[in-house]
Amino acid sequence: PLVDASDHVNLVWRVPLGVCGAITPWNHPLLIAAKKISVALAAGNSIVVKPPLEAPLTVIRLAEILEAAGLPAGTLQVVPGAGPTAGDALAR
């Protein structure tokens, strides 16, 4: 807890949300996916990522690399597909 000069205490509770969903755009698919994935995992969440239809292999390969590096199975899921179907299901 942070205590300042006044008579109150500031508390920050870092609690994982559970499963996060991320839809990445076509421009810079690896960079944007890495930013979203890293923040979700650092906060203790699992994440489902829908890569862009134009470049899904970069995010799929990133997931393979992270799994080979020791990321627990199921922590990162990649769901490629068209936006109206895969993206809509992820956003619900």
Coordinates of all heavy atoms in Angstrom, one line a residue:
P1 N 0.8 -1.2 0.0 CA 0.0 0.0 0.0 C 0.9 1.3 0.0 O 1.9 1.3 0.6 CB -0.8 -0.1 1.3 CG -0.6 -1.4 1.9 CD 0.6 -2.0 1.2
L2 N 0.4 2.2 -0.7 CA 1.1 3.5 -0.7 C 0.3 4.5 0.3 O -0.9 4.6 0.2 CB 1.0 4.1 -2.1 CG 1.7 3.4 -3.2 CD1 1.4 4.0 -4.5 CD2 3.2 3.3 -2.9
V3 N 1.1 5.0 1.2 CA 0.5 6.0 2.1 C 1.1 7.3 1.8 O 2.3 7.5 1.8 CB 0.8 5.6 3.6 CG1 0.2 6.5 4.5 CG2 0.3 4.1 3.8
D4 N 0.3 8.3 1.6 CA 0.8 9.7 1.4 C 0.6 10.5 2.6 O 0.2 10.0 3.7 CB 0.2 10.3 0.1 CG -1.3 10.4 0.2 OD1 -1.9 10.2 1.3 OD2 -1.9 10.6 -0.9
A5 N 0.8 11.8 2.5 CA 0.8 12.7 3.7 C -0.6 12.9 4.2 O -0.8 13.3 5.3 CB 1.3 14.1 3.3
S6 N -1.7 12.5 3.4 CA -3.0 12.7 3.9 C -3.4 11.5 4.7 O -2.6 10.6 5.1 CB -4.0 12.9 2.7 OG -4.0 11.8 1.9
D7 N -4.7 11.4 5.0 CA -5.2 10.3 5.9 C -5.8 9.2 5.2 O -6.7 8.5 5.7 CB -6.2 10.9 6.9 CG -7.4 11.5 6.2 OD1 -7.3 11.7 4.9 OD2 -8.4 11.8 6.9
H8 N -5.3 8.9 3.9 CA -5.9 7.7 3.2 C -4.8 6.9 2.6 O -3.6 7.3 2.6 CB -6.8 8.2 2.1 CG -6.2 9.0 1.1 ND1 -6.0 10.4 1.2 CD2 -5.7 8.7 -0.1 CE1 -5.4 10.8 0.1 NE2 -5.2 9.8 -0.7
V9 N -5.1 5.7 2.3 CA -4.2 4.7 1.7 C -4.7 4.4 0.3 O -5.8 4.1 0.0 CB -4.2 3.4 2.6 CG1 -3.3 2.4 2.0 CG2 -3.8 3.7 4.0
N10 N -3.7 4.3 -0.6 CA -4.0 3.9 -2.0 C -3.6 2.5 -2.2 O -2.5 2.1 -1.9 CB -3.2 4.8 -3.0 CG -3.6 6.2 -2.9 OD1 -4.8 6.6 -2.8 ND2 -2.6 7.1 -3.0
L11 N -4.6 1.7 -2.7 CA -4.3 0.2 -2.9 C -4.5 -0.1 -4.4 O -5.5 0.5 -5.0 CB -5.3 -0.6 -2.1 CG -5.1 -0.6 -0.6 CD1 -6.2 -1.4 0.1 CD2 -3.7 -1.0 -0.2
V12 N -3.7 -0.9 -5.0 CA -3.9 -1.4 -6.3 C -3.9 -2.9 -6.2 O -3.0 -3.6 -5.8 CB -2.7 -1.0 -7.2 CG1 -2.8 -1.6 -8.6 CG2 -2.6 0.5 -7.3
W13 N -5.0 -3.5 -6.7 CA -5.2 -4.9 -6.7 C -4.9 -5.4 -8.1 O -5.7 -5.1 -9.1 CB -6.6 -5.3 -6.3 CG -6.9 -5.0 -4.8 CD1 -7.5 -3.9 -4.4 CD2 -6.5 -5.7 -3.7 NE1 -7.5 -3.9 -3.0 CE2 -6.9 -5.0 -2.6 CE3 -5.8 -6.9 -3.5 CZ2 -6.7 -5.5 -1.3 CZ3 -5.6 -7.4 -2.2 CH2 -6.0 -6.6 -1.1
R14 N -3.9 -6.2 -8.3 CA -3.7 -6.8 -9.6 C -4.2 -8.2 -9.7 O -3.7 -9.1 -9.2 CB -2.2 -6.8 -9.9 CG -1.6 -5.4 -10.0 CD -0.1 -5.5 -10.4 NE 0.7 -4.3 -10.6 CZ 0.5 -3.0 -10.4 NH1 -0.7 -2.7 -10.0 NH2 1.4 -2.1 -10.6
V15 N -5.4 -8.3 -10.3 CA -6.1 -9.6 -10.3 C -6.4 -9.9 -11.8 O -6.9 -9.1 -12.6 CB -7.5 -9.4 -9.6 CG1 -8.3 -10.7 -9.7 CG2 -7.3 -9.0 -8.2
P16 N -6.0 -11.1 -12.2 CA -6.2 -11.5 -13.6 C -7.7 -11.5 -14.0 O -8.6 -11.8 -13.1 CB -5.7 -12.9 -13.7 CG -4.8 -13.1 -12.5 CD -5.3 -12.1 -11.5
L17 N -8.0 -11.1 -15.2 CA -9.4 -11.1 -15.6 C -9.9 -12.4 -16.1 O -11.1 -12.7 -16.0 CB -9.6 -10.1 -16.8 CG -9.2 -8.6 -16.5 CD1 -9.2 -7.8 -17.8 CD2 -10.1 -8.1 -15.5
G18 N -9.0 -13.3 -16.5 CA -9.4 -14.6 -17.0 C -9.0 -14.8 -18.4 O -7.8 -14.8 -18.7
V19 N -9.9 -14.9 -19.3 CA -9.5 -15.0 -20.7 C -9.8 -13.7 -21.5 O -10.9 -13.2 -21.4 CB -10.4 -16.2 -21.4 CG1 -10.0 -16.3 -22.9 CG2 -10.1 -17.5 -20.7
C20 N -8.8 -13.3 -22.2 CA -8.9 -12.0 -23.0 C -9.0 -12.4 -24.5 O -8.5 -13.4 -24.9 CB -7.6 -11.2 -22.8 SG -7.4 -10.6 -21.1
G21 N -9.7 -11.6 -25.2 CA -9.8 -11.8 -26.6 C -9.2 -10.6 -27.4 O -9.3 -9.5 -26.9
A22 N -8.5 -10.9 -28.4 CA -7.8 -9.9 -29.2 C -7.9 -10.1 -30.7 O -7.7 -11.3 -31.1 CB -6.3 -9.9 -28.8
I23 N -8.3 -9.1 -31.4 CA -8.4 -9.2 -32.8 C -7.4 -8.2 -33.4 O -7.4 -7.0 -33.1 CB -9.8 -8.7 -33.3 CG1 -10.9 -9.7 -32.7 CG2 -9.9 -8.7 -34.8 CD1 -12.3 -9.3 -33.0
T24 N -6.5 -8.7 -34.2 CA -5.3 -7.9 -34.7 C -5.6 -7.5 -36.1 O -6.1 -8.3 -36.9 CB -4.0 -8.7 -34.6 OG1 -4.1 -9.9 -35.3 CG2 -3.7 -9.0 -33.1
P25 N -5.2 -6.3 -36.5 CA -5.4 -5.8 -37.9 C -4.3 -6.4 -38.8 O -3.3 -7.0 -38.4 CB -5.3 -4.3 -37.7 CG -4.3 -4.2 -36.6 CD -4.6 -5.3 -35.6
W26 N -4.5 -6.1 -40.1 CA -3.6 -6.6 -41.1 C -2.3 -5.8 -41.2 O -1.3 -6.4 -41.6 CB -4.3 -6.4 -42.5 CG -4.6 -5.0 -42.9 CD1 -5.8 -4.3 -42.6 CD2 -3.8 -4.1 -43.5 NE1 -5.7 -3.1 -43.1 CE2 -4.5 -2.9 -43.6 CE3 -2.5 -4.1 -44.1 CZ2 -3.9 -1.7 -44.2 CZ3 -1.9 -3.0 -44.7 CH2 -2.7 -1.8 -44.7
N27 N -2.2 -4.6 -40.7 CA -0.9 -3.9 -40.8 C -0.1 -4.2 -39.5 O -0.7 -4.1 -38.4 CB -1.1 -2.4 -41.0 CG -2.0 -1.8 -39.9 OD1 -2.8 -2.5 -39.3 ND2 -1.9 -0.5 -39.7
H28 N 1.1 -4.6 -39.6 CA 1.9 -5.0 -38.5 C 1.3 -6.1 -37.7 O 1.2 -6.0 -36.4 CB 2.3 -3.8 -37.6 CG 2.8 -2.6 -38.3 ND1 4.1 -2.6 -38.9 CD2 2.3 -1.4 -38.6 CE1 4.3 -1.5 -39.5 NE2 3.2 -0.7 -39.3
P29 N 0.9 -7.2 -38.3 CA 0.2 -8.3 -37.5 C 1.0 -8.9 -36.4 O 0.5 -9.1 -35.3 CB -0.1 -9.3 -38.6 CG 0.9 -9.1 -39.7 CD 1.2 -7.6 -39.6
L30 N 2.3 -9.1 -36.6 CA 3.2 -9.6 -35.5 C 3.4 -8.7 -34.4 O 3.3 -9.0 -33.2 CB 4.5 -10.1 -36.1 CG 5.4 -10.8 -35.1 CD1 4.8 -12.1 -34.5 CD2 6.7 -11.2 -35.8
L31 N 3.7 -7.4 -34.7 CA 4.0 -6.4 -33.7 C 2.8 -6.2 -32.8 O 2.9 -6.2 -31.6 CB 4.4 -5.1 -34.3 CG 4.6 -3.9 -33.4 CD1 5.8 -4.2 -32.5 CD2 4.8 -2.6 -34.2
I32 N 1.6 -6.0 -33.4 CA 0.4 -5.7 -32.6 C 0.0 -6.9 -31.8 O -0.4 -6.8 -30.7 CB -0.7 -5.2 -33.5 CG1 -0.3 -3.8 -34.1 CG2 -2.0 -5.0 -32.8 CD1 -1.2 -3.3 -35.2
A33 N 0.1 -8.1 -32.4 CA -0.2 -9.3 -31.7 C 0.7 -9.5 -30.5 O 0.3 -9.9 -29.4 CB -0.2 -10.5 -32.6
A34 N 2.0 -9.3 -30.7 CA 2.9 -9.4 -29.6 C 2.7 -8.4 -28.5 O 2.8 -8.8 -27.3 CB 4.4 -9.2 -30.1
K35 N 2.3 -7.2 -28.8 CA 1.9 -6.3 -27.7 C 0.7 -6.7 -27.0 O 0.7 -6.6 -25.7 CB 1.6 -4.9 -28.4 CG 2.9 -4.2 -28.9 CD 2.5 -2.8 -29.5 CE 3.7 -2.0 -29.9 NZ 3.3 -0.7 -30.5
K36 N -0.3 -7.2 -27.6 CA -1.5 -7.6 -26.9 C -1.3 -8.9 -26.1 O -1.8 -9.0 -25.0 CB -2.7 -7.8 -28.0 CG -3.1 -6.6 -28.6 CD -4.3 -6.8 -29.5 CE -4.7 -5.5 -30.1 NZ -6.1 -5.5 -30.6
I37 N -0.6 -9.8 -26.7 CA -0.3 -11.1 -26.0 C 0.6 -10.9 -24.8 O 0.3 -11.4 -23.7 CB 0.4 -12.1 -27.0 CG1 -0.7 -12.5 -28.1 CG2 0.9 -13.3 -26.3 CD1 0.0 -13.3 -29.3
S38 N 1.6 -10.1 -24.9 CA 2.5 -9.9 -23.8 C 1.9 -9.3 -22.6 O 2.1 -9.7 -21.5 CB 3.7 -9.1 -24.2 OG 3.3 -7.8 -24.7
V39 N 1.0 -8.3 -22.8 CA 0.3 -7.6 -21.7 C -0.7 -8.6 -21.1 O -0.7 -8.6 -19.8 CB -0.4 -6.3 -22.3 CG1 -1.3 -5.8 -21.2 CG2 0.6 -5.3 -22.7
A40 N -1.4 -9.3 -21.8 CA -2.4 -10.3 -21.3 C -1.7 -11.3 -20.4 O -2.1 -11.6 -19.3 CB -3.2 -10.9 -22.4
L41 N -0.6 -11.9 -20.9 CA 0.2 -12.9 -20.2 C 0.8 -12.4 -19.0 O 0.9 -13.0 -17.9 CB 1.2 -13.6 -21.1 CG 0.6 -14.4 -22.3 CD1 1.7 -15.0 -23.1 CD2 -0.3 -15.5 -21.8
A42 N 1.4 -11.2 -19.1 CA 2.1 -10.5 -17.9 C 1.1 -10.3 -16.8 O 1.5 -10.3 -15.6 CB 2.7 -9.2 -18.4
A43 N -0.2 -10.0 -17.1 CA -1.2 -9.8 -16.1 C -1.8 -11.1 -15.6 O -2.7 -11.0 -14.7 CB -2.3 -8.9 -16.7
G44 N -1.3 -12.2 -16.1 CA -1.8 -13.5 -15.6 C -3.0 -14.1 -16.3 O -3.7 -15.0 -15.8
N45 N -3.4 -13.5 -17.4 CA -4.5 -14.0 -18.2 C -4.2 -14.9 -19.3 O -3.0 -15.0 -19.7 CB -5.2 -12.8 -18.8 CG -5.7 -11.8 -17.8 OD1 -6.5 -12.1 -16.9 ND2 -5.2 -10.5 -17.9
S46 N -5.2 -15.7 -19.7 CA -5.1 -16.4 -21.0 C -5.6 -15.5 -22.1 O -6.3 -14.6 -21.8 CB -5.9 -17.7 -20.9 OG -5.4 -18.6 -19.9
I47 N -5.2 -15.9 -23.3 CA -5.7 -15.0 -24.4 C -6.0 -15.8 -25.7 O -5.3 -16.8 -26.0 CB -4.6 -13.9 -24.7 CG1 -5.1 -12.9 -25.8 CG2 -3.3 -14.5 -25.1 CD1 -4.3 -11.6 -25.9
V48 N -7.1 -15.4 -26.3 CA -7.4 -15.9 -27.6 C -7.2 -14.8 -28.6 O -7.8 -13.7 -28.5 CB -8.9 -16.4 -27.6 CG1 -9.3 -16.9 -29.0 CG2 -9.2 -17.4 -26.5
V49 N -6.4 -15.1 -29.7 CA -6.1 -14.1 -30.7 C -6.7 -14.5 -32.0 O -6.5 -15.6 -32.5 CB -4.6 -14.0 -30.8 CG1 -4.2 -12.9 -31.8 CG2 -3.9 -13.6 -29.5
K50 N -7.3 -13.6 -32.7 CA -7.8 -13.7 -34.1 C -6.8 -12.9 -34.9 O -6.9 -11.7 -35.0 CB -9.2 -13.3 -34.2 CG -9.8 -13.7 -35.6 CD -10.4 -12.4 -36.2 CE -10.6 -12.4 -37.7 NZ -9.5 -12.3 -38.5
P51 N -5.9 -13.6 -35.7 CA -5.0 -12.9 -36.6 C -5.8 -12.4 -37.8 O -6.9 -12.9 -38.1 CB -4.0 -13.9 -36.9 CG -4.7 -15.2 -36.8 CD -5.7 -15.0 -35.7
P52 N -5.1 -11.4 -38.5 CA -5.8 -10.9 -39.7 C -5.9 -12.0 -40.8 O -5.0 -12.9 -40.9 CB -4.9 -9.8 -40.2 CG -3.6 -10.1 -39.6 CD -3.9 -10.8 -38.3
L53 N -6.9 -12.0 -41.6 CA -7.1 -13.0 -42.7 C -5.9 -12.9 -43.7 O -5.5 -13.9 -44.2 CB -8.4 -12.7 -43.4 CG -8.9 -13.7 -44.4 CD1 -9.1 -15.1 -43.8 CD2 -10.2 -13.3 -45.1
E54 N -5.4 -11.7 -43.9 CA -4.3 -11.5 -44.8 C -3.0 -12.1 -44.4 O -2.1 -12.3 -45.2 CB -4.1 -10.0 -45.2 CG -5.4 -9.4 -45.8 CD -6.4 -9.0 -44.8 OE1 -6.2 -9.1 -43.5 OE2 -7.4 -8.5 -45.2
A55 N -2.7 -12.2 -43.1 CA -1.4 -12.6 -42.5 C -1.6 -13.5 -41.3 O -1.1 -13.1 -40.2 CB -0.6 -11.4 -42.3
P56 N -2.2 -14.6 -41.3 CA -2.4 -15.4 -40.1 C -1.2 -16.2 -39.6 O -1.0 -16.5 -38.5 CB -3.6 -16.3 -40.4 CG -3.4 -16.5 -41.9 CD -2.9 -15.2 -42.4
L57 N -0.3 -16.5 -40.6 CA 0.8 -17.4 -40.2 C 1.8 -16.7 -39.3 O 2.5 -17.5 -38.5 CB 1.5 -17.8 -41.5 CG 0.7 -18.6 -42.5 CD1 1.5 -19.0 -43.7 CD2 0.2 -19.9 -41.8
T58 N 2.0 -15.4 -39.3 CA 2.9 -14.8 -38.3 C 2.5 -15.0 -36.9 O 3.3 -15.4 -36.0 CB 3.0 -13.3 -38.6 OG1 1.7 -12.7 -38.5 CG2 3.7 -13.0 -39.9
V59 N 1.2 -14.9 -36.6 CA 0.7 -15.1 -35.2 C 0.7 -16.5 -34.9 O 1.0 -16.9 -33.7 CB -0.7 -14.4 -35.1 CG1 -1.2 -14.6 -33.7 CG2 -0.7 -13.0 -35.5
I60 N 0.4 -17.4 -35.8 CA 0.4 -18.8 -35.5 C 1.8 -19.3 -35.2 O 2.1 -20.0 -34.3 CB -0.1 -19.6 -36.7 CG1 -1.6 -19.4 -36.9 CG2 0.1 -21.1 -36.6 CD1 -2.3 -19.9 -38.2
R61 N 2.8 -18.8 -35.9 CA 4.2 -19.1 -35.7 C 4.6 -18.5 -34.3 O 5.4 -19.2 -33.6 CB 5.1 -18.6 -36.8 CG 6.6 -18.9 -36.6 CD 6.8 -20.4 -36.7 NE 8.2 -20.6 -36.6 CZ 8.7 -21.6 -35.9 NH1 7.9 -22.5 -35.3 NH2 10.0 -21.8 -35.8
L62 N 4.2 -17.4 -34.0 CA 4.5 -16.8 -32.6 C 4.0 -17.7 -31.5 O 4.7 -18.0 -30.5 CB 3.9 -15.4 -32.5 CG 4.1 -14.7 -31.1 CD1 5.6 -14.6 -30.8 CD2 3.4 -13.4 -31.1
A63 N 2.8 -18.2 -31.7 CA 2.2 -19.1 -30.7 C 3.0 -20.4 -30.6 O 3.3 -20.9 -29.5 CB 0.8 -19.5 -31.1
E64 N 3.5 -20.9 -31.7 CA 4.4 -22.1 -31.7 C 5.7 -21.8 -31.0 O 6.1 -22.7 -30.2 CB 4.7 -22.6 -33.1 CG 3.5 -23.1 -33.9 CD 3.7 -23.4 -35.3 OE1 4.8 -23.0 -35.8 OE2 2.8 -23.9 -36.0
I65 N 6.3 -20.7 -31.2 CA 7.5 -20.3 -30.6 C 7.3 -20.2 -29.1 O 8.1 -20.7 -28.3 CB 8.1 -19.0 -31.2 CG1 8.6 -19.3 -32.6 CG2 9.2 -18.5 -30.3 CD1 8.9 -18.0 -33.4
L66 N 6.2 -19.5 -28.7 CA 6.0 -19.4 -27.2 C 5.7 -20.7 -26.5 O 6.1 -21.0 -25.4 CB 4.8 -18.4 -27.0 CG 5.1 -17.0 -27.4 CD1 3.8 -16.2 -27.3 CD2 6.1 -16.4 -26.5
E67 N 5.0 -21.6 -27.2 CA 4.8 -23.0 -26.7 C 6.1 -23.7 -26.5 O 6.3 -24.4 -25.5 CB 3.8 -23.7 -27.5 CG 3.4 -25.1 -26.9 CD 2.4 -25.8 -27.8 OE1 1.7 -25.2 -28.6 OE2 2.2 -27.0 -27.5
A68 N 6.9 -23.6 -27.5 CA 8.3 -24.3 -27.5 C 9.1 -23.7 -26.3 O 10.0 -24.4 -25.8 CB 9.0 -24.2 -28.8
A69 N 8.9 -22.4 -26.0 CA 9.6 -21.8 -25.0 C 9.1 -22.1 -23.6 O 9.7 -21.7 -22.6 CB 9.6 -20.2 -25.2
G70 N 8.0 -22.8 -23.5 CA 7.5 -23.2 -22.2 C 6.2 -22.6 -21.8 O 5.7 -22.8 -20.6
L71 N 5.5 -21.9 -22.6 CA 4.2 -21.4 -22.3 C 3.2 -22.5 -22.1 O 3.1 -23.4 -23.0 CB 3.7 -20.4 -23.4 CG 2.4 -19.7 -23.1 CD1 2.6 -18.6 -22.0 CD2 1.9 -19.0 -24.4
P72 N 2.5 -22.6 -21.0 CA 1.6 -23.7 -20.8 C 0.5 -23.8 -21.9 O 0.0 -22.8 -22.4 CB 0.9 -23.3 -19.5 CG 1.8 -22.4 -18.8 CD 2.5 -21.7 -19.9
A73 N 0.2 -25.1 -22.2 CA -0.8 -25.4 -23.3 C -2.1 -24.7 -22.9 O -2.5 -24.8 -21.8 CB -0.9 -26.9 -23.5
G74 N -2.7 -24.1 -23.9 CA -4.0 -23.5 -23.7 C -4.0 -22.1 -23.2 O -5.0 -21.4 -23.2
T75 N -2.8 -21.6 -22.8 CA -2.7 -20.2 -22.4 C -2.9 -19.2 -23.5 O -3.5 -18.2 -23.3 CB -1.4 -20.0 -21.7 OG1 -1.2 -21.0 -20.7 CG2 -1.3 -18.6 -21.1
L76 N -2.4 -19.6 -24.7 CA -2.5 -18.8 -25.9 C -3.2 -19.6 -27.0 O -2.7 -20.7 -27.3 CB -1.2 -18.3 -26.4 CG -1.1 -17.6 -27.7 CD1 -2.0 -16.4 -27.8 CD2 0.4 -17.3 -28.1
Q77 N -4.3 -19.1 -27.4 CA -5.0 -19.8 -28.5 C -5.1 -18.9 -29.7 O -5.4 -17.7 -29.5 CB -6.5 -20.2 -28.1 CG -6.5 -21.2 -27.0 CD -6.1 -22.5 -27.4 OE1 -6.4 -23.0 -28.5 NE2 -5.4 -23.2 -26.5
V78 N -4.9 -19.4 -30.9 CA -5.0 -18.6 -32.1 C -6.1 -19.1 -33.0 O -6.2 -20.4 -33.2 CB -3.7 -18.7 -32.9 CG1 -3.8 -17.8 -34.2 CG2 -2.5 -18.1 -32.1
V79 N -7.0 -18.3 -33.3 CA -8.2 -18.7 -34.1 C -8.3 -17.9 -35.4 O -8.8 -16.8 -35.5 CB -9.5 -18.4 -33.3 CG1 -10.8 -18.8 -34.0 CG2 -9.5 -19.0 -31.9
P80 N -7.6 -18.4 -36.4 CA -7.7 -17.7 -37.7 C -9.0 -17.9 -38.4 O -9.8 -18.8 -38.1 CB -6.6 -18.5 -38.6 CG -6.5 -19.8 -37.9 CD -6.8 -19.6 -36.5
G81 N -9.4 -17.0 -39.3 CA -10.6 -17.1 -40.0 C -11.1 -15.7 -40.4 O -10.4 -14.7 -40.1
A82 N -12.2 -15.7 -41.1 CA -12.7 -14.4 -41.6 C -13.3 -13.6 -40.5 O -13.8 -14.2 -39.5 CB -13.8 -14.7 -42.7
G83 N -13.2 -12.3 -40.6 CA -13.7 -11.4 -39.6 C -15.2 -11.6 -39.2 O -15.5 -11.7 -38.0
P84 N -16.1 -11.7 -40.1 CA -17.5 -11.8 -39.8 C -17.8 -13.1 -39.0 O -18.8 -13.1 -38.3 CB -18.2 -11.8 -41.1 CG -17.3 -11.1 -42.1 CD -15.9 -11.4 -41.6
T85 N -17.0 -14.1 -39.2 CA -17.3 -15.4 -38.4 C -16.4 -15.5 -37.2 O -16.9 -15.5 -36.1 CB -17.1 -16.6 -39.4 OG1 -15.8 -16.6 -39.9 CG2 -18.2 -16.6 -40.4
A86 N -15.1 -15.6 -37.4 CA -14.2 -15.8 -36.2 C -14.2 -14.5 -35.3 O -14.2 -14.7 -34.1 CB -12.8 -16.1 -36.7
G87 N -14.1 -13.4 -35.9 CA -14.1 -12.2 -35.1 C -15.4 -11.9 -34.4 O -15.4 -11.5 -33.2
D88 N -16.5 -12.2 -35.0 CA -17.8 -12.0 -34.4 C -17.9 -13.0 -33.2 O -18.4 -12.6 -32.1 CB -18.9 -12.2 -35.4 CG -20.3 -11.9 -34.7 OD1 -20.4 -10.8 -34.2 OD2 -21.1 -12.8 -34.8
A89 N -17.5 -14.2 -33.3 CA -17.6 -15.2 -32.2 C -16.7 -14.8 -31.1 O -17.1 -14.9 -29.9 CB -17.2 -16.6 -32.8
L90 N -15.5 -14.2 -31.4 CA -14.6 -13.8 -30.3 C -15.1 -12.6 -29.6 O -14.9 -12.4 -28.4 CB -13.2 -13.5 -30.9 CG -12.1 -13.2 -30.0 CD1 -11.9 -14.4 -29.0 CD2 -10.8 -13.0 -30.8
A91 N -15.8 -11.7 -30.3 CA -16.3 -10.5 -29.7 C -17.5 -10.7 -28.8 O -17.9 -9.8 -28.0 CB -16.6 -9.4 -30.8
R92 N -18.2 -11.8 -28.9 CA -19.4 -12.0 -28.1 C -19.1 -12.5 -26.7 O -18.2 -13.1 -26.4 CB -20.3 -13.0 -28.8 CG -20.9 -12.4 -30.0 CD -21.9 -13.4 -30.7 NE -22.3 -12.8 -31.9 CZ -23.5 -12.2 -32.1 NH1 -24.3 -12.1 -31.1 NH2 -23.8 -11.7 -33.2

